[in-house]
């Protein structure tokens, strides 16, 4: 099955070759749509493909993405950002996925934050679609294609590795311009608008939008994330009671997720209620976080953070062997972490807590 990889770009001379050197390993066609570059982006792209098109920017990412898809001819279409990177192993996985493909839409993991080379923030995105099925992006910002048809989940991870700071207020301004023109935000856009307000430290405005979103009929994963965002927003304006109430509201939509469990564990830990804190950090390790369903997942809260905190808690309780064991578990997630290494040295100096006794 032929695969067309489609990108929209603007002033990406620092990263576009890095991306396309990955893409050329599995793509049958590369389509690039430039929205107004003033650097060498287009010149670089033309060393990889002659299918470079220009699109007048209209503050609508979906419009640009759909324009790019309209220029592609493959059996399947794949979207990427210019600062995405794909390892050789994952390039091979994409080729395997397309070999004899029989699906309408493939979701792949998207890693957007890292500790060294290890991804810490991962979620699934619709990444490859079958051409001619009428799929299109929607949403001026945080554009997405509504899931439908025969869907498969692959394990070929795309790494989003920025090298420059994004344009300040760009997304926020797009939303606010839409509102000023009388355009009503749908539930998904309302959620992302609330997040943009939060990211720009407009906490009270963010709270108002996200609370309104929770009263609507939005996607459950977005509602869970909105509850977490509200926790942090209320905390930022010193409203602790509302913050924890928002956090607990997430439990109405799904079993507790790891991040929420860690936040509650930290609360009990600060109150010296170590046994309650242990309960919540262990719950964080056992939580089902909905990564495959598209939930935003900070993997540090799923493994490293609860293990490190359990190490500290059991040390405070004098259970040094169990503390040591949790520290060693933390080291499996981040073997070069200085806190883990210092803890390991500390425990090995305590009589009766040596590695060969575990």
């Amino acid at each position: 099955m032929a695969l067309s990889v489609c990108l929209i770009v603007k002033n990406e001379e620092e990263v576009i070759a890095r991306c396309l050197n990955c893409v050329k390993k599995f793509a049958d066609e590369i389509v690039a749509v430039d929205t107004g570059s003033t650097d060498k982006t287009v010149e670089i792209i033309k060393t990889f493909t002659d299918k470079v098109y220009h699109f007048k920017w209209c503050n609508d990412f979906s419009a640009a993405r759909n324009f790019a898809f309209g220029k592609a001819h493959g059996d399947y279409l794949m979207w990427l950002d210019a600062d995405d990177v794909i390892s050789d192993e994952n390039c091979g996985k994409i080729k395997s996925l397309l070999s004899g493909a029989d699906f309408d839409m493939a979701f792949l993991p998207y890693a957007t934050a890292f500790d060294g080379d290890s991804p810490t923030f991962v979620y699934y995105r619709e990444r490859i679609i079958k051409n001619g099925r009428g799929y299109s992006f929607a949403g001026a910002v945080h554009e997405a294609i509504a899931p439908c048809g025969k869907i498969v989940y692959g394990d070929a991870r795309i790494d989003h590795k920025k090298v420059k700071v994004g344009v300040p207020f760009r997304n926020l301004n797009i939303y606010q311009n839409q509102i000023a023109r009388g355009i009503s935000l749908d539930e998904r856009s309302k959620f992302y608008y609330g997040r943009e307000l939060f990211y720009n430290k407009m906490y009270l405005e963010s709270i108002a939008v996200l609370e309104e979103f929770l009263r609507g009929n939005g996607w459950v994963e977005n509602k869970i994330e909105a509850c977490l965002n509200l926790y942090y927003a209320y905390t930022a304006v010193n409203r602790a009671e509302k913050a924890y109430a928002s956090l607990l509201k997430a439990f109405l939509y799904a079993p507790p997720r790891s991040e929420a469990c860690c936040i509650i564990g930290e609360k009990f830990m600060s109150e010296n209620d170590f046994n309650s804190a242990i309960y919540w950090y262990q719950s964080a390790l056992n939580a089902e976080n909905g990564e495959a369903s598209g939930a935003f997942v900070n993997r540090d809260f799923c493994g490293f953070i609860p293990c490190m905190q359990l190490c500290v808690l059991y040390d405070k309780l004098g259970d040094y062997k169990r503390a040591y064991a949790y520290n060693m578990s933390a080291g499996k997630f981040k073997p070069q972490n200085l806190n883990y290494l210092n803890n390991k040295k500390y425990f090995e100096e305590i009589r009766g807590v040596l590695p060969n006794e575990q």
Side-chain angles (χ1 to χ4, degrees), residues 62 65-66 69 79 104-107 124-130 133-139 142-153 186 188 192 219 222 293:
S62 284
R65 295 273 187 207
N66 291 331
F69 274 6
W79 67 272
D104 295 313
M105 182 180 288
F107 281 69
Y124 274 76
R125 282 296 310 267
E126 73 292 357
R127 181 63 64 176
I128 302 173
I129 63 167
K130 195 164 189 177
R133 286 289 193 266
Y135 289 118
S136 62
F137 284 94
H142 299 294
E143 66 281 8
I145 302 172
C148 64
K150 184 177 180 180
I151 296 173
V152 299
Y153 283 82
D186 61 21
R188 185 175 186 277
Y192 279 102
W219 183 39
N222 285 350
S293 68

Side-chain angles (χ1 to χ4, degrees), residues 175-332:
Y175 281 128
Q176 292 183 332
N177 286 336
Q178 285 187 307
I179 294 168
R181 298 201 312 271
I183 298 174
S184 297
L185 300 184
D186 61 21
E187 293 299 316
R188 185 175 186 277
S189 295
K190 195 177 296 181
F191 164 68
Y192 279 102
Y193 176 43
R195 281 166 59 89
E196 290 295 335
L197 290 165
F198 173 76
Y199 293 149
N200 287 282
K201 299 183 179 181
M202 301 171 69
Y203 299 121
L204 294 177
E205 294 89 341
S206 174
I207 287 167
V209 172
L210 292 175
E211 291 283 16
E212 182 183 350
F213 166 73
L214 288 179
R215 292 192 290 270
N217 297 313
W219 183 39
V220 65
E221 291 296 344
N222 285 350
K223 288 199 169 190
I224 293 169
E225 186 68 18
C227 290
L228 282 168
N229 294 152
L230 281 166
Y231 165 80
Y232 290 116
Y234 277 121
T235 299
V237 295
N238 299 313
R239 298 183 65 182
E241 187 173 337
K242 290 289 291 184
Y244 284 106
S246 298
L247 187 70
L248 295 175
K249 187 181 289 186
F251 299 176
L252 298 176
Y253 303 112
R257 301 289 171 81
S258 290
E259 186 169 353
C261 292
C262 285
I263 292 170
I264 298 172
E266 183 179 13
K267 177 180 183 294
F268 282 113
M269 193 172 178
S270 68
E271 296 169 353
N272 293 323
D273 185 347
F274 299 148
N275 288 321
S276 294
I278 285 170
Y279 170 85
W280 284 103
Y281 283 120
Q282 288 177 336
S283 297
L285 290 175
N286 296 325
E288 177 58 51
N289 287 292
E291 187 171 307
S293 68
F296 296 119
V297 179
N298 186 326
R299 289 184 174 176
D300 278 352
F301 289 108
C302 306
F304 180 75
I305 289 174
C307 283
M308 288 297 290
Q309 296 295 70
L310 285 165
C311 165
V312 172
L313 286 160
Y314 278 114
D315 178 70
K316 288 180 179 293
L317 292 172
D319 190 341
Y320 300 119
K321 288 189 176 182
R322 194 170 293 182
Y324 179 85
Y326 274 112
N327 189 62
M328 297 304 290
S329 294
K332 293 177 182 178

Side-chain angles (χ1 to χ4, degrees), residues 336-350:
Q336 302 305 316
N337 181 269
L338 288 179
N339 290 328
Y340 153 70
L341 293 172
N342 288 335
N343 286 349
K344 185 172 182 289
K345 181 179 179 181
Y346 159 71
F347 286 118
E348 289 172 356
E349 290 174 351
I350 299 175

